[in-house]
Amino acid sequence: MSDTPTVILLDDDPAMRRSVTLTLELAGYRVQAFASGEEMLARLDVAQPGCLVLDLRMPGMNGWEVQEALNARGCMLPVVFISAFGDIPGTVRALKAGAVDFLEKPFSAEALIARIEEALAVDRSRHEERTWRERMCRRRDDLTPREVDVMHFVTEGLSNKEIAAQLRISPRTVEKYRARVMEKMRADSVAELCQIASRLGDPDAGPHSR
Amino acid sequence: MESRTTPESPLPVEDLQRQAVLDALSVQIAVLDASGRIVEVNESWRRFARENGADPGLEQGIGLSYLDACHFDGDDDPEGYGEKTQAGILAVLAGRQPAFSLEYPCHAPDQPRWFMVTVTSLGKGLDGAVVAHLDISPRVLAEQESRNRREEMARAARLNSVTVLAGSLVHELAQPLAAASLYSDSLATLARQQPLDSSRMLAAVDDLRTQVARAEAIVGGLRRFMRRGELRTEPRQLDKPIRDALELVMPLARRKSTRLEVTLPPIPIPVLINPLQIEQVMVNLLCNAIEAMDRFGSTERIVRVLVKSDTREARITVSDTGPGLSPVWADRIFEVFETENETGMGMGLAISRTIVEAHEGRLWAEVGTAGAVLHFTLPLHDVEDSR
């Protein structure tokens, strides 16, 4: 696995593979080309950064079947679809499944590169989001069940006193838990803690009340 | 033996009667002796000679060598009709064959005409032969007219097939155009780089040319298929129109996830055909198979083309892995207005059958098979037998 983003190309037409590869390599991209969805699924490293360029209409697995298979494997790479005349039903389906964009054949190198830049930008921001989320989840996993409860009520806007009443502990103990939550989550303020919580979402929805 | 004569003529009554019978016939007749000299002609013969400005000697013709009269100038007779007639007469006079016949054009300045010459031995121990020229222009014109009409119908059906193929062909055209567009953009990029990498540029030019040629082949195939067809048949190898049809239908097959499997014998199969019309029959059968499986939603989609030949005829079989034909449909699919789909392939099949039958072949469907099975035959063209 490398950190340089790769454009992963899937097209059954050898001339399309060659010409797209040449165009993208001249523009400075790293390209990995596959002739069939089956081959690509067998060999693709889904964790690498980059984007996918998929031909919609191919014998064997078509573009959206490949996209669905990749989604099922947790591949988050953004997809630029290459479509042609009369592919509108497929286009709608692929857009619903999360395609970033479409290019209708024939297209210019400029249009191709513009779509790929957008796709790579989406991948970068998704990647940043994922990294942040993993970091925050690790921090939250460090919290004891009690600390999780306290964090939940704090971010709901309850005062120490109210939390103390809810959990049937003293306000001073709440204060102690609260300081540890701030420290473990590395939040400088309650506002920041609230922001982290809302961005992270609350998977369990509710305190660990027993 | 004493012969009876009439007051007006010194000739015996039998001769007069025979002459009257000959003159009453609309066929132009000349009777030849054993050496090929004209001994007698009829009124039709004389009238034809008069009306076509022959010299007075030929109008009567008596005593002239018919064999010499057959000897045309090679420039006027590129097909060698004169020579063939001469050979036919000699063969009949020598007793090598009882009769000979040949159809030939003999156009007047104001109208096209065709004749059939027949040479028949006098037989019954008599030396010599009867040469008869019959005007067959009405028949030939009617045949041409029906060929014209058939080709008009065939062209209408071809244009109809094109509407079925158009979407997939446009799709197919987009591939080389997209690749060509990228190669030209890449060439522009390469041209701006320093130092110039000319070998990489030339490689891109080669790739670009290949894609342009690929697009041209697609357009060329379509243009050939849509053009106004020739009316005449010509000696051809059967594999050519079959391959042309497969190439035209391949994009549709790809689009409908259908595999085309072709089995052609390794030896060439000579046939006397109108190549465009036979290509059309193939396109029609292939499209029918692909569309039927698509409509039915078959999971396995294969169209098999099998070409076989024996000593008399070639047989082309197109079978598919679709739902097959029910006995009810097997005959009705050949009716002009019967069609199982909106694309009007029923009309295509009716015309395909007309085309095949005009080629002296047969087109039929098998009943009760797992997938649809259609066959058509074409008689082999004997290269020696150039009638």
Side-chain angles (χ1 to χ4, degrees), chain A residues 13 15-16 18-20 22-23 26 57 84-86 105-109, chain B residues 167 171 175 177-179 181-183 185-186 190 193 200 207 211 214 255:
Chain A
D13 189 279
M16 282 305 291
R18 268 173 75 88
S19 58
V20 170
L22 175 67
T23 306
L26 285 173
R57 201 177 277 281
F85 173 80
K105 284 181 210 172
F107 47 82
S108 66
Chain B
H171 193 281
Q175 302 276 47
L177 287 181
S181 159
L182 291 179
Y183 281 130
D185 287 344
S186 297
L190 285 167
Q193 284 179 349
R200 204 169 177 196
D207 285 333
Q211 295 311 307
R214 189 176 154 198
R255 197 186 170 100

PDB file of all heavy atoms in Angstrom, chain A residues 13 15-16 18-20 22-23 26 57 84-86 105-109, chain B residues 167 171 175 177-179 181-183 185-186 190 193 200 207 211 214 255:
ATOM      1  N   ASP A  13     -12.236  -2.538 -23.226  1.00  0.00           N
ATOM      2  CA  ASP A  13     -11.678  -2.202 -24.536  1.00  0.00           C
ATOM      3  C   ASP A  13     -10.187  -1.859 -24.397  1.00  0.00           C
ATOM      4  O   ASP A  13      -9.842  -0.902 -23.706  1.00  0.00           O
ATOM      5  CB  ASP A  13     -12.441  -1.012 -25.111  1.00  0.00           C
ATOM      6  CG  ASP A  13     -12.063  -0.756 -26.556  1.00  0.00           C
ATOM      7  OD1 ASP A  13     -11.008  -0.130 -26.795  1.00  0.00           O
ATOM      8  OD2 ASP A  13     -12.797  -1.203 -27.436  1.00  0.00           O
ATOM      9  N   ALA A  15      -8.067  -0.475 -26.384  1.00  0.00           N
ATOM     10  CA  ALA A  15      -7.694   0.864 -26.852  1.00  0.00           C
ATOM     11  C   ALA A  15      -8.067   1.921 -25.817  1.00  0.00           C
ATOM     12  O   ALA A  15      -7.341   2.896 -25.622  1.00  0.00           O
ATOM     13  CB  ALA A  15      -8.376   1.162 -28.190  1.00  0.00           C
ATOM     14  N   MET A  16      -9.194   1.720 -25.149  1.00  0.00           N
ATOM     15  CA  MET A  16      -9.587   2.668 -24.103  1.00  0.00           C
ATOM     16  C   MET A  16      -8.606   2.597 -22.933  1.00  0.00           C
ATOM     17  O   MET A  16      -8.204   3.612 -22.381  1.00  0.00           O
ATOM     18  CB  MET A  16     -11.014   2.371 -23.602  1.00  0.00           C
ATOM     19  CG  MET A  16     -12.117   2.855 -24.513  1.00  0.00           C
ATOM     20  SD  MET A  16     -12.009   4.620 -24.895  1.00  0.00           S
ATOM     21  CE  MET A  16     -12.402   5.352 -23.308  1.00  0.00           C
ATOM     22  N   ARG A  18      -5.472   1.676 -23.022  1.00  0.00           N
ATOM     23  CA  ARG A  18      -4.183   2.261 -23.420  1.00  0.00           C
ATOM     24  C   ARG A  18      -4.246   3.776 -23.481  1.00  0.00           C
ATOM     25  O   ARG A  18      -3.345   4.470 -22.991  1.00  0.00           O
ATOM     26  CB  ARG A  18      -3.793   1.739 -24.817  1.00  0.00           C
ATOM     27  CG  ARG A  18      -2.935   0.493 -24.771  1.00  0.00           C
ATOM     28  CD  ARG A  18      -2.769  -0.033 -26.186  1.00  0.00           C
ATOM     29  NE  ARG A  18      -1.841   0.774 -26.979  1.00  0.00           N
ATOM     30  CZ  ARG A  18      -0.530   0.553 -27.009  1.00  0.00           C
ATOM     31  NH1 ARG A  18      -0.025  -0.425 -26.303  1.00  0.00           N
ATOM     32  NH2 ARG A  18       0.248   1.302 -27.750  1.00  0.00           N
ATOM     33  N   SER A  19      -5.314   4.313 -24.106  1.00  0.00           N
ATOM     34  CA  SER A  19      -5.355   5.761 -24.323  1.00  0.00           C
ATOM     35  C   SER A  19      -5.595   6.506 -23.010  1.00  0.00           C
ATOM     36  O   SER A  19      -5.002   7.555 -22.766  1.00  0.00           O
ATOM     37  CB  SER A  19      -6.411   6.120 -25.366  1.00  0.00           C
ATOM     38  OG  SER A  19      -7.674   5.661 -24.970  1.00  0.00           O
ATOM     39  N   VAL A  20      -6.447   5.958 -22.150  1.00  0.00           N
ATOM     40  CA  VAL A  20      -6.695   6.617 -20.856  1.00  0.00           C
ATOM     41  C   VAL A  20      -5.419   6.559 -20.009  1.00  0.00           C
ATOM     42  O   VAL A  20      -5.032   7.546 -19.379  1.00  0.00           O
ATOM     43  CB  VAL A  20      -7.892   5.972 -20.113  1.00  0.00           C
ATOM     44  CG1 VAL A  20      -7.988   6.488 -18.686  1.00  0.00           C
ATOM     45  CG2 VAL A  20      -9.189   6.250 -20.859  1.00  0.00           C
ATOM     46  N   LEU A  22      -2.296   6.374 -21.049  1.00  0.00           N
ATOM     47  CA  LEU A  22      -1.317   7.321 -21.599  1.00  0.00           C
ATOM     48  C   LEU A  22      -1.655   8.751 -21.166  1.00  0.00           C
ATOM     49  O   LEU A  22      -0.794   9.485 -20.668  1.00  0.00           O
ATOM     50  CB  LEU A  22      -1.297   7.223 -23.132  1.00  0.00           C
ATOM     51  CG  LEU A  22      -0.406   8.241 -23.860  1.00  0.00           C
ATOM     52  CD1 LEU A  22       1.066   7.986 -23.546  1.00  0.00           C
ATOM     53  CD2 LEU A  22      -0.636   8.191 -25.378  1.00  0.00           C
ATOM     54  N   THR A  23      -2.916   9.123 -21.333  1.00  0.00           N
ATOM     55  CA  THR A  23      -3.351  10.482 -20.986  1.00  0.00           C
ATOM     56  C   THR A  23      -3.076  10.786 -19.514  1.00  0.00           C
ATOM     57  O   THR A  23      -2.532  11.848 -19.181  1.00  0.00           O
ATOM     58  CB  THR A  23      -4.874  10.614 -21.250  1.00  0.00           C
ATOM     59  OG1 THR A  23      -5.132  10.230 -22.587  1.00  0.00           O
ATOM     60  CG2 THR A  23      -5.350  12.033 -21.027  1.00  0.00           C
ATOM     61  N   LEU A  26       0.696  10.928 -18.609  1.00  0.00           N
ATOM     62  CA  LEU A  26       1.294  12.195 -19.058  1.00  0.00           C
ATOM     63  C   LEU A  26       0.895  13.339 -18.125  1.00  0.00           C
ATOM     64  O   LEU A  26       1.623  14.316 -17.976  1.00  0.00           O
ATOM     65  CB  LEU A  26       0.856  12.526 -20.497  1.00  0.00           C
ATOM     66  CG  LEU A  26       1.521  11.705 -21.591  1.00  0.00           C
ATOM     67  CD1 LEU A  26       0.895  11.989 -22.949  1.00  0.00           C
ATOM     68  CD2 LEU A  26       3.025  11.983 -21.639  1.00  0.00           C
ATOM     69  N   ARG A  57     -20.580  -0.206 -19.335  1.00  0.00           N
ATOM     70  CA  ARG A  57     -21.105  -1.338 -20.090  1.00  0.00           C
ATOM     71  C   ARG A  57     -19.980  -2.270 -20.519  1.00  0.00           C
ATOM     72  O   ARG A  57     -19.132  -1.901 -21.312  1.00  0.00           O
ATOM     73  CB  ARG A  57     -21.824  -0.820 -21.328  1.00  0.00           C
ATOM     74  CG  ARG A  57     -22.797  -1.791 -21.898  1.00  0.00           C
ATOM     75  CD  ARG A  57     -23.494  -1.159 -23.053  1.00  0.00           C
ATOM     76  NE  ARG A  57     -24.602  -0.324 -22.646  1.00  0.00           N
ATOM     77  CZ  ARG A  57     -25.786  -0.804 -22.304  1.00  0.00           C
ATOM     78  NH1 ARG A  57     -26.001  -2.101 -22.288  1.00  0.00           N
ATOM     79  NH2 ARG A  57     -26.766   0.005 -21.983  1.00  0.00           N
ATOM     80  N   ALA A  84     -21.794   5.653 -22.369  1.00  0.00           N
ATOM     81  CA  ALA A  84     -21.951   6.015 -23.768  1.00  0.00           C
ATOM     82  C   ALA A  84     -23.418   6.171 -24.061  1.00  0.00           C
ATOM     83  O   ALA A  84     -24.264   5.971 -23.192  1.00  0.00           O
ATOM     84  CB  ALA A  84     -21.332   4.960 -24.672  1.00  0.00           C
ATOM     85  N   PHE A  85     -23.668   6.525 -25.307  1.00  0.00           N
ATOM     86  CA  PHE A  85     -25.032   6.696 -25.800  1.00  0.00           C
ATOM     87  C   PHE A  85     -26.002   5.654 -25.247  1.00  0.00           C
ATOM     88  O   PHE A  85     -25.726   4.469 -25.276  1.00  0.00           O
ATOM     89  CB  PHE A  85     -24.970   6.594 -27.328  1.00  0.00           C
ATOM     90  CG  PHE A  85     -26.303   6.576 -27.993  1.00  0.00           C
ATOM     91  CD1 PHE A  85     -26.995   7.750 -28.204  1.00  0.00           C
ATOM     92  CD2 PHE A  85     -26.865   5.385 -28.411  1.00  0.00           C
ATOM     93  CE1 PHE A  85     -28.226   7.728 -28.825  1.00  0.00           C
ATOM     94  CE2 PHE A  85     -28.097   5.365 -29.036  1.00  0.00           C
ATOM     95  CZ  PHE A  85     -28.774   6.541 -29.237  1.00  0.00           C
ATOM     96  N   GLY A  86     -27.135   6.113 -24.760  1.00  0.00           N
ATOM     97  CA  GLY A  86     -28.195   5.186 -24.381  1.00  0.00           C
ATOM     98  C   GLY A  86     -28.013   4.498 -23.043  1.00  0.00           C
ATOM     99  O   GLY A  86     -28.654   3.510 -22.765  1.00  0.00           O
ATOM    100  N   LYS A 105     -18.660   9.102 -23.544  1.00  0.00           N
ATOM    101  CA  LYS A 105     -17.703   8.916 -24.652  1.00  0.00           C
ATOM    102  C   LYS A 105     -18.233   9.586 -25.905  1.00  0.00           C
ATOM    103  O   LYS A 105     -19.429   9.461 -26.168  1.00  0.00           O
ATOM    104  CB  LYS A 105     -17.542   7.423 -24.953  1.00  0.00           C
ATOM    105  CG  LYS A 105     -16.711   6.668 -23.968  1.00  0.00           C
ATOM    106  CD  LYS A 105     -16.630   5.228 -24.429  1.00  0.00           C
ATOM    107  CE  LYS A 105     -16.488   4.304 -23.240  1.00  0.00           C
ATOM    108  NZ  LYS A 105     -16.592   2.900 -23.580  1.00  0.00           N
ATOM    109  N   PRO A 106     -17.435  10.193 -26.740  1.00  0.00           N
ATOM    110  CA  PRO A 106     -16.007  10.472 -26.493  1.00  0.00           C
ATOM    111  C   PRO A 106     -15.837  11.704 -25.615  1.00  0.00           C
ATOM    112  O   PRO A 106     -16.702  12.560 -25.572  1.00  0.00           O
ATOM    113  CB  PRO A 106     -15.479  10.740 -27.908  1.00  0.00           C
ATOM    114  CG  PRO A 106     -16.655  11.162 -28.722  1.00  0.00           C
ATOM    115  CD  PRO A 106     -17.879  10.614 -28.069  1.00  0.00           C
ATOM    116  N   PHE A 107     -14.699  11.765 -24.920  1.00  0.00           N
ATOM    117  CA  PHE A 107     -14.448  12.906 -24.044  1.00  0.00           C
ATOM    118  C   PHE A 107     -13.007  13.366 -24.224  1.00  0.00           C
ATOM    119  O   PHE A 107     -12.172  12.631 -24.753  1.00  0.00           O
ATOM    120  CB  PHE A 107     -14.704  12.532 -22.584  1.00  0.00           C
ATOM    121  CG  PHE A 107     -14.072  11.230 -22.188  1.00  0.00           C
ATOM    122  CD1 PHE A 107     -12.737  11.154 -21.839  1.00  0.00           C
ATOM    123  CD2 PHE A 107     -14.820  10.052 -22.201  1.00  0.00           C
ATOM    124  CE1 PHE A 107     -12.143   9.960 -21.492  1.00  0.00           C
ATOM    125  CE2 PHE A 107     -14.229   8.841 -21.861  1.00  0.00           C
ATOM    126  CZ  PHE A 107     -12.894   8.798 -21.508  1.00  0.00           C
ATOM    127  N   SER A 108     -12.719  14.587 -23.792  1.00  0.00           N
ATOM    128  CA  SER A 108     -11.364  15.117 -23.953  1.00  0.00           C
ATOM    129  C   SER A 108     -10.523  14.766 -22.732  1.00  0.00           C
ATOM    130  O   SER A 108     -11.062  14.438 -21.659  1.00  0.00           O
ATOM    131  CB  SER A 108     -11.421  16.633 -24.108  1.00  0.00           C
ATOM    132  OG  SER A 108     -11.875  17.201 -22.899  1.00  0.00           O
ATOM    133  N   ALA A 109      -9.208  14.874 -22.889  1.00  0.00           N
ATOM    134  CA  ALA A 109      -8.293  14.626 -21.784  1.00  0.00           C
ATOM    135  C   ALA A 109      -8.593  15.611 -20.657  1.00  0.00           C
ATOM    136  O   ALA A 109      -8.573  15.250 -19.474  1.00  0.00           O
ATOM    137  CB  ALA A 109      -6.855  14.789 -22.263  1.00  0.00           C
TER     138      ALA A 109
ATOM    139  N   GLY B 167     -28.439   1.786 -32.341  1.00  0.00           N
ATOM    140  CA  GLY B 167     -28.006   2.133 -30.982  1.00  0.00           C
ATOM    141  C   GLY B 167     -26.683   1.484 -30.634  1.00  0.00           C
ATOM    142  O   GLY B 167     -25.754   2.152 -30.157  1.00  0.00           O
ATOM    143  N   HIS B 171     -22.897   3.195 -30.124  1.00  0.00           N
ATOM    144  CA  HIS B 171     -22.153   2.849 -28.912  1.00  0.00           C
ATOM    145  C   HIS B 171     -20.766   2.337 -29.294  1.00  0.00           C
ATOM    146  O   HIS B 171     -19.756   2.734 -28.718  1.00  0.00           O
ATOM    147  CB  HIS B 171     -22.941   1.768 -28.178  1.00  0.00           C
ATOM    148  CG  HIS B 171     -22.483   1.538 -26.789  1.00  0.00           C
ATOM    149  ND1 HIS B 171     -21.376   0.786 -26.514  1.00  0.00           N
ATOM    150  CD2 HIS B 171     -22.951   1.981 -25.613  1.00  0.00           C
ATOM    151  CE1 HIS B 171     -21.199   0.757 -25.205  1.00  0.00           C
ATOM    152  NE2 HIS B 171     -22.145   1.477 -24.639  1.00  0.00           N
ATOM    153  N   GLN B 175     -16.340   4.077 -28.843  1.00  0.00           N
ATOM    154  CA  GLN B 175     -15.071   3.543 -28.305  1.00  0.00           C
ATOM    155  C   GLN B 175     -13.858   4.087 -29.062  1.00  0.00           C
ATOM    156  O   GLN B 175     -13.021   4.754 -28.455  1.00  0.00           O
ATOM    157  CB  GLN B 175     -15.039   2.012 -28.377  1.00  0.00           C
ATOM    158  CG  GLN B 175     -16.140   1.310 -27.658  1.00  0.00           C
ATOM    159  CD  GLN B 175     -15.860   1.123 -26.184  1.00  0.00           C
ATOM    160  OE1 GLN B 175     -15.449   2.062 -25.507  1.00  0.00           O
ATOM    161  NE2 GLN B 175     -16.088  -0.053 -25.683  1.00  0.00           N
ATOM    162  N   LEU B 177     -13.666   6.501 -31.111  1.00  0.00           N
ATOM    163  CA  LEU B 177     -13.646   7.969 -31.107  1.00  0.00           C
ATOM    164  C   LEU B 177     -13.100   8.492 -29.784  1.00  0.00           C
ATOM    165  O   LEU B 177     -12.316   9.447 -29.757  1.00  0.00           O
ATOM    166  CB  LEU B 177     -15.052   8.533 -31.357  1.00  0.00           C
ATOM    167  CG  LEU B 177     -15.565   8.388 -32.785  1.00  0.00           C
ATOM    168  CD1 LEU B 177     -16.946   8.998 -32.918  1.00  0.00           C
ATOM    169  CD2 LEU B 177     -14.607   9.026 -33.781  1.00  0.00           C
ATOM    170  N   ALA B 178     -13.513   7.859 -28.687  1.00  0.00           N
ATOM    171  CA  ALA B 178     -13.012   8.287 -27.377  1.00  0.00           C
ATOM    172  C   ALA B 178     -11.504   8.073 -27.298  1.00  0.00           C
ATOM    173  O   ALA B 178     -10.749   8.942 -26.863  1.00  0.00           O
ATOM    174  CB  ALA B 178     -13.723   7.519 -26.268  1.00  0.00           C
ATOM    175  N   ALA B 179     -11.056   6.888 -27.745  1.00  0.00           N
ATOM    176  CA  ALA B 179      -9.617   6.595 -27.699  1.00  0.00           C
ATOM    177  C   ALA B 179      -8.856   7.547 -28.613  1.00  0.00           C
ATOM    178  O   ALA B 179      -7.813   8.094 -28.219  1.00  0.00           O
ATOM    179  CB  ALA B 179      -9.371   5.141 -28.107  1.00  0.00           C
ATOM    180  N   SER B 181      -9.675  10.544 -29.540  1.00  0.00           N
ATOM    181  CA  SER B 181      -9.674  11.875 -28.933  1.00  0.00           C
ATOM    182  C   SER B 181      -8.589  11.977 -27.855  1.00  0.00           C
ATOM    183  O   SER B 181      -7.850  12.965 -27.785  1.00  0.00           O
ATOM    184  CB  SER B 181     -11.071  12.138 -28.357  1.00  0.00           C
ATOM    185  OG  SER B 181     -11.023  13.133 -27.389  1.00  0.00           O
ATOM    186  N   LEU B 182      -8.458  10.933 -27.047  1.00  0.00           N
ATOM    187  CA  LEU B 182      -7.429  10.953 -25.992  1.00  0.00           C
ATOM    188  C   LEU B 182      -6.020  10.887 -26.586  1.00  0.00           C
ATOM    189  O   LEU B 182      -5.110  11.546 -26.089  1.00  0.00           O
ATOM    190  CB  LEU B 182      -7.650   9.800 -25.021  1.00  0.00           C
ATOM    191  CG  LEU B 182      -8.904   9.920 -24.151  1.00  0.00           C
ATOM    192  CD1 LEU B 182      -9.034   8.711 -23.256  1.00  0.00           C
ATOM    193  CD2 LEU B 182      -8.852  11.193 -23.309  1.00  0.00           C
ATOM    194  N   TYR B 183      -5.855  10.086 -27.649  1.00  0.00           N
ATOM    195  CA  TYR B 183      -4.527  10.020 -28.276  1.00  0.00           C
ATOM    196  C   TYR B 183      -4.133  11.379 -28.842  1.00  0.00           C
ATOM    197  O   TYR B 183      -2.978  11.798 -28.737  1.00  0.00           O
ATOM    198  CB  TYR B 183      -4.497   8.965 -29.388  1.00  0.00           C
ATOM    199  CG  TYR B 183      -4.368   7.549 -28.862  1.00  0.00           C
ATOM    200  CD1 TYR B 183      -5.227   6.546 -29.282  1.00  0.00           C
ATOM    201  CD2 TYR B 183      -3.369   7.219 -27.943  1.00  0.00           C
ATOM    202  CE1 TYR B 183      -5.115   5.251 -28.802  1.00  0.00           C
ATOM    203  CE2 TYR B 183      -3.260   5.938 -27.455  1.00  0.00           C
ATOM    204  CZ  TYR B 183      -4.132   4.954 -27.884  1.00  0.00           C
ATOM    205  OH  TYR B 183      -4.014   3.687 -27.397  1.00  0.00           O
ATOM    206  N   ASP B 185      -5.138  14.351 -27.794  1.00  0.00           N
ATOM    207  CA  ASP B 185      -4.806  15.221 -26.657  1.00  0.00           C
ATOM    208  C   ASP B 185      -3.418  14.875 -26.097  1.00  0.00           C
ATOM    209  O   ASP B 185      -2.635  15.763 -25.753  1.00  0.00           O
ATOM    210  CB  ASP B 185      -5.846  15.075 -25.544  1.00  0.00           C
ATOM    211  CG  ASP B 185      -7.164  15.747 -25.913  1.00  0.00           C
ATOM    212  OD1 ASP B 185      -7.176  16.557 -26.868  1.00  0.00           O
ATOM    213  OD2 ASP B 185      -8.183  15.460 -25.262  1.00  0.00           O
ATOM    214  N   SER B 186      -3.142  13.570 -26.034  1.00  0.00           N
ATOM    215  CA  SER B 186      -1.835  13.145 -25.510  1.00  0.00           C
ATOM    216  C   SER B 186      -0.716  13.592 -26.434  1.00  0.00           C
ATOM    217  O   SER B 186       0.367  13.984 -25.959  1.00  0.00           O
ATOM    218  CB  SER B 186      -1.789  11.623 -25.382  1.00  0.00           C
ATOM    219  OG  SER B 186      -2.755  11.198 -24.465  1.00  0.00           O
ATOM    220  N   LEU B 190       2.555  15.656 -25.514  1.00  0.00           N
ATOM    221  CA  LEU B 190       3.912  15.193 -25.845  1.00  0.00           C
ATOM    222  C   LEU B 190       4.658  16.235 -26.677  1.00  0.00           C
ATOM    223  O   LEU B 190       5.864  16.430 -26.513  1.00  0.00           O
ATOM    224  CB  LEU B 190       3.837  13.865 -26.604  1.00  0.00           C
ATOM    225  CG  LEU B 190       3.501  12.634 -25.762  1.00  0.00           C
ATOM    226  CD1 LEU B 190       3.148  11.441 -26.658  1.00  0.00           C
ATOM    227  CD2 LEU B 190       4.659  12.281 -24.841  1.00  0.00           C
ATOM    228  N   GLN B 193       6.434  18.801 -24.658  1.00  0.00           N
ATOM    229  CA  GLN B 193       7.480  18.394 -23.710  1.00  0.00           C
ATOM    230  C   GLN B 193       8.873  18.597 -24.294  1.00  0.00           C
ATOM    231  O   GLN B 193       9.081  18.476 -25.496  1.00  0.00           O
ATOM    232  CB  GLN B 193       7.290  16.922 -23.334  1.00  0.00           C
ATOM    233  CG  GLN B 193       6.160  16.718 -22.349  1.00  0.00           C
ATOM    234  CD  GLN B 193       5.969  15.255 -21.992  1.00  0.00           C
ATOM    235  OE1 GLN B 193       6.541  14.368 -22.616  1.00  0.00           O
ATOM    236  NE2 GLN B 193       5.158  15.019 -20.993  1.00  0.00           N
ATOM    237  N   ARG B 200       7.825   7.975 -28.702  1.00  0.00           N
ATOM    238  CA  ARG B 200       6.560   7.874 -27.973  1.00  0.00           C
ATOM    239  C   ARG B 200       5.434   8.559 -28.760  1.00  0.00           C
ATOM    240  O   ARG B 200       4.294   8.088 -28.789  1.00  0.00           O
ATOM    241  CB  ARG B 200       6.720   8.552 -26.613  1.00  0.00           C
ATOM    242  CG  ARG B 200       5.730   8.030 -25.604  1.00  0.00           C
ATOM    243  CD  ARG B 200       6.059   8.483 -24.222  1.00  0.00           C
ATOM    244  NE  ARG B 200       5.042   8.009 -23.296  1.00  0.00           N
ATOM    245  CZ  ARG B 200       4.873   8.483 -22.083  1.00  0.00           C
ATOM    246  NH1 ARG B 200       5.676   9.459 -21.647  1.00  0.00           N
ATOM    247  NH2 ARG B 200       3.934   8.022 -21.292  1.00  0.00           N
ATOM    248  N   ASP B 207      -1.304   4.371 -32.733  1.00  0.00           N
ATOM    249  CA  ASP B 207      -2.505   4.001 -31.983  1.00  0.00           C
ATOM    250  C   ASP B 207      -3.704   4.811 -32.462  1.00  0.00           C
ATOM    251  O   ASP B 207      -4.806   4.292 -32.592  1.00  0.00           O
ATOM    252  CB  ASP B 207      -2.284   4.248 -30.483  1.00  0.00           C
ATOM    253  CG  ASP B 207      -1.387   3.175 -29.868  1.00  0.00           C
ATOM    254  OD1 ASP B 207      -1.369   2.059 -30.402  1.00  0.00           O
ATOM    255  OD2 ASP B 207      -0.701   3.468 -28.873  1.00  0.00           O
ATOM    256  N   GLN B 211      -7.286   3.483 -34.310  1.00  0.00           N
ATOM    257  CA  GLN B 211      -8.640   3.783 -33.836  1.00  0.00           C
ATOM    258  C   GLN B 211      -9.491   4.438 -34.920  1.00  0.00           C
ATOM    259  O   GLN B 211     -10.684   4.177 -35.014  1.00  0.00           O
ATOM    260  CB  GLN B 211      -8.595   4.660 -32.572  1.00  0.00           C
ATOM    261  CG  GLN B 211      -7.957   3.955 -31.390  1.00  0.00           C
ATOM    262  CD  GLN B 211      -8.535   2.569 -31.177  1.00  0.00           C
ATOM    263  OE1 GLN B 211      -9.741   2.393 -31.082  1.00  0.00           O
ATOM    264  NE2 GLN B 211      -7.671   1.551 -31.144  1.00  0.00           N
ATOM    265  N   ARG B 214     -10.601   1.762 -37.149  1.00  0.00           N
ATOM    266  CA  ARG B 214     -11.652   0.974 -36.504  1.00  0.00           C
ATOM    267  C   ARG B 214     -13.009   1.680 -36.653  1.00  0.00           C
ATOM    268  O   ARG B 214     -14.023   1.049 -36.949  1.00  0.00           O
ATOM    269  CB  ARG B 214     -11.282   0.848 -35.022  1.00  0.00           C
ATOM    270  CG  ARG B 214     -12.112  -0.090 -34.232  1.00  0.00           C
ATOM    271  CD  ARG B 214     -11.537  -0.166 -32.827  1.00  0.00           C
ATOM    272  NE  ARG B 214     -12.557  -0.524 -31.867  1.00  0.00           N
ATOM    273  CZ  ARG B 214     -12.440  -0.334 -30.558  1.00  0.00           C
ATOM    274  NH1 ARG B 214     -11.343   0.238 -30.071  1.00  0.00           N
ATOM    275  NH2 ARG B 214     -13.395  -0.687 -29.744  1.00  0.00           N
ATOM    276  N   ARG B 255     -23.868  -5.801 -26.559  1.00  0.00           N
ATOM    277  CA  ARG B 255     -24.763  -4.986 -25.746  1.00  0.00           C
ATOM    278  C   ARG B 255     -25.790  -5.849 -25.035  1.00  0.00           C
ATOM    279  O   ARG B 255     -26.192  -5.551 -23.916  1.00  0.00           O
ATOM    280  CB  ARG B 255     -25.450  -3.996 -26.676  1.00  0.00           C
ATOM    281  CG  ARG B 255     -26.081  -2.828 -26.000  1.00  0.00           C
ATOM    282  CD  ARG B 255     -26.836  -2.020 -27.049  1.00  0.00           C
ATOM    283  NE  ARG B 255     -27.652  -1.032 -26.398  1.00  0.00           N
ATOM    284  CZ  ARG B 255     -27.297   0.237 -26.280  1.00  0.00           C
ATOM    285  NH1 ARG B 255     -26.154   0.658 -26.767  1.00  0.00           N
ATOM    286  NH2 ARG B 255     -28.089   1.090 -25.675  1.00  0.00           N
TER     287      ARG B 255
END
